[in-house]
Amino acid sequence: MKKDRLVGKNMKITIACVGKIKEKFYRDAILEYEKRLSRYCKLELIEVADEKTPENASALVESQIREKEGERVRARLEKVCREGTYVIALAIDGKQLDSVELSQKLEQLGTSGVSHIVFLIGGSLGMSEQLLRKADFKLSFSKMTFPHQLMRVILLEQIYRGYRIMSGEPYHK
């Protein structure tokens, strides 16, 4: 018997990312998860332009690039976020959750009155310190580094898996 969905269609999930998806196979996977998630939540994807990184860029230049990209994300989020939006930054040094724990976190946020969750994915150099500080929660998928394009697919799959778990629906373990 399926349990009642406590976090339903009223939840809005925004994924804010640095960089555009160029590869068709990533775009196809993202579209598939957008379609699957449409029965559980309102999903919005925000992409902002990434900065070109010069060869052998110094740590200072890389930091400046992250800050520019972070400012673009922040400016876009100002238009869609309101009071009470919960922000989760994907960060290597964040807390690692398994799929059930992520599902429980999404459910807990929904039942506590949060109606909008924003996930932040940085660019190829990572995320600006300013965005990391503004996050309510830092989430790590692994200590490994993944391409930011692939991370979108992995995140969407885990959100989808979380809703399936919340709903008591079968999903591969």
Side-chain angles (χ1 to χ4, degrees):
M1 179 202 296
K2 295 179 188 173
K3 71 179 185 179
D4 291 335
R5 230 180 298 146
L6 296 174
V7 181
K9 295 285 263 184
N10 294 335
M11 179 65 76
K12 179 178 179 184
I13 293 183
T14 300
I15 299 176
C17 319
V18 174
K20 304 283 185 207
I21 298 290
K22 296 171 186 83
E23 296 85 356
K24 183 181 180 327
F25 58 92
Y26 286 138
R27 286 194 312 268
D28 289 346
I30 289 166
L31 288 172
E32 178 62 28
Y33 283 109
E34 284 181 10
K35 184 175 77 174
R36 290 181 186 193
L37 280 164
S38 68
R39 65 185 283 235
Y40 298 104
C41 64
K42 297 171 190 138
L43 182 67
E44 174 185 35
L45 296 176
I46 294 174
E47 291 182 333
V48 300
D50 55 350
E51 289 287 313
K52 300 289 184 231
T53 304
E55 286 278 329
N56 302 315
S58 68
L60 176 63
V61 169
E62 287 186 358
S63 176
Q64 291 169 338
I65 288 171
R66 281 191 298 275
E67 292 305 318
K68 282 182 190 175
E69 291 172 344
E71 183 56 33
R72 285 185 189 126
V73 171
R74 191 197 58 70
R76 288 289 303 276
L77 289 178
E78 277 184 355
K79 297 175 184 174
V80 299
C81 293
R82 58 191 180 284
E83 188 69 32
T85 297
Y86 192 87
V87 178
I88 299 175
L90 273 58
I92 288 176
D93 65 343
K95 182 169 173 58
Q96 290 186 7
L97 303 176
D98 64 26
S99 297
V100 172
E101 290 169 327
L102 179 60
S103 176
Q104 290 167 342
K105 177 136 189 96
L106 295 173
E107 185 172 36
Q108 178 269 324
L109 288 169
T111 57
S112 68
V114 172
S115 61
H116 188 193
I117 300 172
V118 173
F119 287 91
L120 303 175
I121 301 175
S124 59
L125 296 176
M127 192 175 305
S128 75
E129 285 300 316
Q130 180 187 24
L131 281 180
L132 286 170
R133 281 192 303 273
K134 289 188 180 283
D136 297 300
F137 185 79
K138 291 194 296 186
L139 176 65
S140 173
F141 277 78
S142 171
K143 295 219 180 283
M144 291 185 255
T145 302
F146 296 101
H148 57 280
Q149 301 95 328
L150 178 59
M151 203 59 237
R152 293 180 210 185
V153 177
I154 294 170
L155 175 60
L156 286 166
E157 189 280 334
Q158 285 298 301
I159 294 168
Y160 175 68
R161 183 182 296 259
Y163 276 107
R164 298 283 296 190
I165 292 167
M166 261 184 265
S167 300
E169 298 169 352
Y171 204 84
H172 297 291
K173 295 185 180 199

